[in-house]
Amino acid sequence: MMTKIATIAGSDASGGAGLEADLKTFAEYGIYGMAAVTLVATMDPDNSWSHKVFPLSEDALRAQLETIFKGVGVCAVKSGMLGSFFAVDLTKEYLKKHNIDNYVLDPVMVCKGGGEPLNPELNQAIAEKLLPLAQVVTPNIFEAEQLSGISIENHEQVRTAASIIHKKGARHVLIKGPRLKGAERAIDFFYDGDKFELIESELLTTSWTHGAGCTISAALCAGLAQGLSPLDAARRAKRFISTSLAHGFALNRWVGPGNPSAWRNDKLFS
Ligand code: PXL
């Protein structure tokens, strides 16, 4: 049977992040992807690529979730930018109603790991309502600070944050760490409530990293859907994002994404 995944996320009209990144990633894993759109993000080419967000209504989101969860069925679910309290509540409702075990929560709170915080009022709702349902939560450093309530500047603090986030209910925590101050390798921190594992790759100097956080979470979700353990899925996701970023490219003078389709060639020739 075809493996199916749904992402509940925003659309990035420029195609590098959000549900576009998720669907491209699922396709590279050979998975059938579906998307429940929470909002549409646009970027203004005449005003330094500044972002605007157009939310979809609660009815529109519920109707999409009904189509996907009831009408089709899923092996795994990822959520990304939710953008409203009702999107948090609906995500929780459908995950519970349909007993979804493989749920990857990407607690998107910033674009590109350090920019303007998005909807800070939602952070607590995400932590309380969605963390306890997550098989894996995938915060970057900023998001891990928000979810744990501590500030993070070194490996010891990453570990403390991971254990706080685990205690709040997520079964596995993957903290995306390449933006940790002074990092010389691109290190992600995986914690299962018992052991910490470092998942490392070369730190690339590229600026074309738009959508990297969405992509690694989507790849992790794809691995879970295919039956990998959370740790193996995280390791494979790391290879996927590293390959994608090694082939990143500019869309214009402001932004550039990785290239998820680089994975095909990498797999063919390595
Ligand atoms: O990279 C975070 C992100 C997630 N989802 C959407 C986005 C962005 C950043 O631009 O537009 C829809």
Side-chain angles (χ1 to χ4, degrees), residues 94-110:
Y94 276 80
L95 289 169
K96 284 186 82 112
K97 191 156 58 177
H98 294 271
N99 285 319
I100 304 297
D101 193 40
N102 284 329
Y103 166 49
V104 175
L105 166 60
D106 189 18
V108 179
M109 296 175 183
V110 277

Side-chain angles (χ1 to χ4, degrees), residues 29 76 101-105 133-138 166 170-175 188-193 195 197-199 216-239:
Y29 272 72
D101 193 40
N102 284 329
Y103 166 49
V104 175
L105 166 60
L133 299 175
Q135 181 67 264
V136 189
V137 63
T138 60
H166 183 267
R171 275 159 281 164
H172 302 86
V173 183
L174 181 74
I175 298 186
D188 295 328
F189 301 82
F190 182 90
Y191 181 59
D192 64 1
K195 288 199 299 289
E197 300 275 347
L198 300 189
I199 306 178
I216 191 169
S217 305
L220 197 157
C221 189
L224 290 182
Q226 290 176 333
L228 296 181
S229 70
L231 178 57
D232 286 344
R235 289 199 173 116
R236 193 169 163 83
K238 180 69 156 178
R239 291 202 301 278

Side-chain angles (χ1 to χ4, degrees), residues 97-163:
K97 191 156 58 177
H98 294 271
N99 285 319
I100 304 297
D101 193 40
N102 284 329
Y103 166 49
V104 175
L105 166 60
D106 189 18
V108 179
M109 296 175 183
V110 277
C111 279
K112 290 283 238 66
E116 280 283 284
L118 303 154
N119 308 112
E121 71 284 1
L122 289 183
N123 297 357
Q124 203 186 339
I126 290 173
E128 280 172 13
K129 297 181 179 180
L130 298 181
L131 268 184
L133 299 175
Q135 181 67 264
V136 189
V137 63
T138 60
N140 59 27
I141 296 292
F142 174 83
E143 292 153 355
E145 289 181 326
Q146 298 299 307
L147 291 174
S148 66
I150 67 165
S151 67
I152 301 177
E153 292 189 344
N154 57 43
H155 285 205
E156 202 46 47
Q157 289 163 337
V158 173
R159 285 166 188 254
T160 307
S163 72

